[in-house]
Amino acid sequence: MKWGLPPGYVAPDGSHLPAKYPDPTGTPGKGCKIGYVSPVNAIPGLPEQFKGMRAVATRYGCALIVKDGGLNPQSQVTGMQQLLAQGATAIVVDPLVPQALAAPIRQANVQHVPIIMQDCPAGTDQANVPGTVSNFDSGHDPAAYAAAKAIADAKPRAKIGFIYPSFPAANLQYQVDRFKYWAEKLGLTSVGQEGTPDNSNGPTSKAASALI
């Protein structure tokens, strides 16, 4: 698998990711099921992520089962419980509120089902969520750099604002913090951050008006 980073990007700690990783060896047992619990399926980039996950899962003889978190921590709890009841071999979760998932994580541990977190913990200097086996970062920092760089190139010294869900999700706030960091580094000015309870037009328009 090949990875690409925006030209000019340097990780905050100065580290460099490898350009490729070796393919896994071996094959899973018959009936392998990989579960995925999203924050909300309406996120524009998720269909491509699902497509890639499903392709790799199929290559290794697994099925992918997706549960929509619906921007609701309780829906993520229910999604994990449903996946465990469906006999999931492993579960990947992009959590809204990690603490809310303690019970299904304990249930998964009892059933010997590994739980892998996506973008949680948000920072590389933080420990994994108790009861989980691993975490992977979907590249929010280089994405923030690429977005800030595009804005700075198109409109130097521009003022920018941020609209994100209003619930306290550490991984979402990490995205905002990295956008702000790169915006400042590239000569942009952050005018503020507005929260919305959902992705509907009304709250989003109100947040945009406040920033304008």
Side-chain angles (χ1 to χ4, degrees):
M1 183 177 293
K2 294 185 179 297
W3 301 81
L5 292 172
Y9 171 79
V10 178
D13 60 1
S15 62
H16 296 277
L17 291 173
K20 61 180 180 179
Y21 293 90
D23 286 334
T25 58
T27 57
K30 184 178 180 181
C32 167
K33 300 175 183 177
I34 306 299
Y36 181 83
V37 182
S38 75
V40 56
N41 284 3
I43 294 174
L46 276 184
E48 283 301 310
Q49 179 175 320
F50 296 157
K51 181 180 178 181
M53 292 177 71
R54 187 166 283 109
V56 175
T58 300
R59 187 191 313 165
Y60 293 101
C62 297
L64 177 69
I65 306 172
V66 175
K67 300 294 182 181
D68 188 351
L71 285 180
N72 186 327
Q74 183 55 47
S75 294
Q76 290 199 313
V77 170
T78 301
M80 290 184 68
Q81 292 171 334
Q82 290 173 342
L83 288 169
L84 290 169
Q86 290 175 259
T89 309
I91 299 174
V92 180
V93 188
D94 188 344
L96 297 167
V97 182
Q99 299 86 340
L101 304 178
I105 288 175
R106 286 195 297 270
Q107 181 182 347
N109 293 162
V110 170
Q111 295 180 214
H112 304 290
V113 176
I115 302 295
I116 301 166
M117 289 290 181
Q118 177 177 340
D119 297 320
C120 182
T124 57
D125 59 341
Q126 301 170 32
N128 285 340
V129 174
T132 65
V133 299
S134 187
N135 165 58
F136 70 90
D137 183 354
S138 56
H140 291 309
D141 192 60
Y145 169 83
K149 182 70 165 58
I151 295 170
D153 287 346
K155 193 172 183 179
R157 297 179 296 281
K159 295 180 179 180
I160 58 175
F162 304 92
I163 301 175
Y164 271 78
S166 54
F167 51 78
N171 56 348
L172 294 179
Q173 187 57 48
Y174 175 78
Q175 295 178 43
V176 176
D177 292 343
R178 297 316 296 169
F179 272 118
K180 290 179 178 178
Y181 171 84
W182 286 116
E184 180 180 345
K185 288 286 186 181
L186 296 170
L188 304 174
T189 300
S190 170
V191 298
Q193 175 182 341
E194 292 290 327
T196 60
D198 53 52
N199 287 333
S200 60
N201 290 335
T204 303
S205 296
K206 183 178 179 180
S209 296
L211 291 169
I212 293 172

